[in-house]
Amino acid sequence: MPDDAAAARAAAEEESAFSHSPVDPDVSSAYGDHPDQVIDFYAPRSDQDVSAPLVVVLHGGAWRARYDRRHITPFADYLARRGFAVANVEYRRGGEPSSSLIPEQNTGETVPPAGRWPETFDDVAAALDALPDLVRTALPQADPRRMVLTGHSAGGHLALWAAARHCLPADAPWRTAGPAPLRGVVALAPIADFEVAEKLDVCGNASLQLLGGHDTFAGRRPYADPVLLLPTGIATTLVQGRTDLVVPHAVAESYADAAAKAGEVVGLTLLEDVGHFPLIDPAADACAVVAEEIAQLAW
């Protein structure tokens, strides 16, 4: 258990990240018929005449419905103010009003179930497939040839997974014939190794719930767990706070170690005295580090 000072600092970081007012997009486009199948676009706040790199944002929230893309819109706006074109992707999550609550393993408290199998993965794959055509109409200032995926927490998992679809098993419905045309991935405190995440009880067994529970966890991991989809051949950087109590840095370190064993170099930026939420908080220095990591790949 974290000590009182660490818990208080983490709570203050979360409060700061969620204190910003949501920022409405410049335009939104649907990539399917479900209300959650939508992408919000933010135009680059720049006077430059050249097209801007496209940053695709996948929000976190343990794949649970109570956390939607609105909480990450200040971060999307922050990137737009740094000169990027931004696509903020929504997707179907678990725990809709009709869903039952699940007891958390360690505390016994009830939480909404995490994720929807296979809909969460269906949506991320469909959004990325539709994005090049949608962005040409919705945001002509964007250059989809210079595309970087980023995501926070559960969204960091989805960013790593989306970049690795060509590495999925041959019978996976989301598998692509080759690597996506990406400049790279910047995953922020990602749930990047489900086995380690479950040992650490990350987000109340969210990884286990995402894959449908104990009976299906092992069988579905090869289709969903980024650590089993290496090497990708796509430039990848992980940004992680050392004092993260939500997704401890051991999860990111395990992914980076697995990548190295697979013959791939994955960058791992560990930030001192930084927890989970400063990575997406425009008021935090850590957010500037994230923007710079994205710029290193995009420009």
Side-chain angles (χ1 to χ4, degrees):
M1 295 291 290
D3 60 38
D4 291 344
R9 181 167 63 181
E13 289 175 338
E14 181 174 2
E15 182 179 5
S16 177
F18 283 84
S19 68
H20 307 283
S21 298
V23 180
D24 290 332
D26 294 296
V27 63
S28 298
S29 299
Y31 63 89
D33 295 330
H34 192 278
D36 285 336
Q37 293 174 324
V38 64
I39 302 173
D40 290 340
F41 292 101
Y42 295 78
R45 320 299 191 215
S46 170
D47 295 331
Q48 295 182 4
D49 251 348
V50 298
S51 59
L54 177 64
V55 181
V56 182
V57 175
L58 291 155
H59 71 82
W63 309 286
R64 292 186 172 113
R66 62 184 176 184
Y67 303 103
D68 64 16
R69 69 192 184 281
R70 294 289 285 171
H71 80 268
I72 209 168
T73 59
F75 174 70
D77 176 67
Y78 176 83
L79 293 177
R81 287 186 280 112
R82 304 274 298 219
F84 298 106
V86 181
N88 187 17
V89 177
E90 191 58 277
Y91 52 90
R92 282 175 285 182
R93 297 148 342 269
E96 292 186 337
S98 60
S99 300
S100 59
L101 296 175
I102 293 177
E104 216 176 90
Q105 182 170 291
N106 290 344
T107 67
E109 296 178 0
T110 54
V111 295
R116 294 172 62 174
W117 181 278
E119 290 90 346
T120 298
F121 297 92
D122 288 344
D123 286 0
V124 172
L128 269 293
D129 290 345
L131 191 56
D133 287 337
L134 291 178
V135 76
R136 287 188 190 98
T137 302
L139 207 62
Q141 307 97 311
D143 182 358
R145 297 169 301 177
R146 290 184 291 159
M147 182 162 60
V148 175
L149 297 186
T150 191
H152 178 239
S153 196
H157 155 264
L158 292 173
L160 293 171
W161 177 85
R165 288 169 59 197
H166 59 294
C167 301
L168 287 167
D171 62 340
W174 313 292
R175 181 182 168 92
T176 55
L182 299 171
R183 285 290 181 91
V185 180
V186 179
L188 314 177
I191 305 177
D193 182 329
F194 284 1
E195 185 174 39
V196 174
E198 283 307 300
K199 288 178 181 176
L200 297 174
D201 188 29
V202 168
C203 299
N205 302 115
S207 303
L208 180 69
Q209 294 166 28
L210 174 69
L211 300 193
H214 291 286
D215 292 343
T216 52
F217 183 74
R220 289 176 175 173
R221 268 192 74 205
Y223 299 85
D225 193 344
V227 78
L228 301 181
L229 302 173
L230 290 163
T232 67
I234 292 174
T236 300
T237 297
L238 314 181
V239 184
Q240 174 78 49
R242 283 192 181 274
T243 58
D244 192 331
L245 302 180
V246 180
V247 184
H249 59 80
V251 181
E253 289 172 334
S254 179
Y255 179 88
D257 289 345
K261 290 174 183 175
E264 189 161 77
V265 177
V266 166
L268 176 57
T269 300
L270 290 170
L271 303 179
E272 298 291 339
D273 299 321
V274 169
H276 192 63
F277 290 99
L279 303 176
I280 59 166
D281 181 358
D285 292 341
C287 199
V289 175
V290 169
E292 182 57 32
E293 293 285 2
I294 292 171
Q296 290 290 330
L297 294 174
W299 293 103

